[in-house]
Amino acid sequence: MDTTESVVAELNVALGTDYRLVRQLTGGFQSGAFELTGGVVLKWTDDPGWATRVRRADELVRRARAVGYPTPAWLTVGTTAAGSPYQLQEFVSGTPVRDYSVVDESLARELIAICELQRGLVPEPGISWSAWSRGVVLEGWDGVWERVSKYGGDLLRRYELLCRPYRDAVLPDDDFVHGDLNLGNLIVQDGRVTGIVDIEAAGAGSRAYDLISLATSAARDGAAPGVDELFVEAALRAGGRATVALCAGAAYVSIAEFVHDRVGSAELIEYGARRVLDLLDA
């Protein structure tokens, strides 16, 4: 089985480099990012199933950066002999957001403008967050909705009511979608966004997915008052009510299952999900 040290050693052989491990970068529920010498960041996973996803994200990152989307450049992508996919990124200046109250109206409007850069960047079929959202909410994909129904209570029933009218809706499917865009994945400097990270799950879909994810994060993580509402309004403009409803429902059950056994986290997730429902008046 690979370790971070073995991945660094293997990529040094493959690339003819002499990178050394500096420190693990922390934040979020999972930690798989490491600063190396030379101003680069290593991300890797021991799940071989992510290799195809990471290669696809590599192409999407190039497209997004070409229109000004502020995600770090990917320098190389590879797979170890044991099958662990990895990537090297540039190390961007700035500080990860940890005091979420700094996300005020000005920063929120900057993020909304950034999300507008995602429009129409993925015209060809492929990994689709829109298809996944419809599948999870309306067709039982992955069984996640059923599993969350065992503990989701009235909150899940409210999402069912919200999504029920849109069984026949066709969701936009040609935007670039980050897929995990929350306030913890922002790097800022002097009040501006210098980096959006953790982008390995990128795919096609509607940018409304990222905007409604930001709204939920803003509500649960304590952004400045009114910021969550700005993100909801932007999501509705970007994708319409049907898209926002299905994306919000899918995003809720996905993260609710992920944090179910984490003390304190589940309550925050539910608070953000309820706030989004209230803003949608659902």
Side-chain angles (χ1 to χ4, degrees), residues 156-174:
L156 192 65
R157 286 191 289 273
R158 287 181 66 188
Y159 272 103
E160 288 174 345
L161 291 173
L162 172 66
C163 297
R164 186 178 298 168
Y166 307 117
R167 295 199 65 87
D168 298 323
V170 177
L171 275 57
D173 204 30
D174 63 349

Side-chain angles (χ1 to χ4, degrees), residues 17-103:
T17 51
D18 187 29
Y19 293 124
R20 295 181 301 281
L21 181 63
V22 176
R23 61 181 172 128
Q24 183 171 8
L25 301 173
T26 59
F29 292 114
Q30 304 178 92
S31 296
F34 302 84
E35 182 183 358
L36 305 184
T37 54
V40 299
V41 172
L42 166 68
K43 293 203 70 177
W44 75 282
T45 175
D46 60 5
D47 180 1
W50 269 92
T52 300
R53 197 72 181 259
V54 169
R55 287 194 296 270
R56 177 57 172 158
D58 183 33
E59 165 61 24
L60 296 181
V61 164
R62 285 196 291 271
R63 293 188 197 181
R65 284 179 52 82
V67 298
Y69 190 86
T71 196
W74 285 23
L75 308 175
T76 190
V77 169
T79 305
T80 68
S84 301
Y86 65 81
Q87 25 129 338
L88 289 179
Q89 306 177 7
E90 68 176 357
F91 191 98
V92 299
S93 60
T95 304
V97 174
R98 294 294 176 260
D99 174 9
Y100 300 114
S101 66
V102 304
V103 182

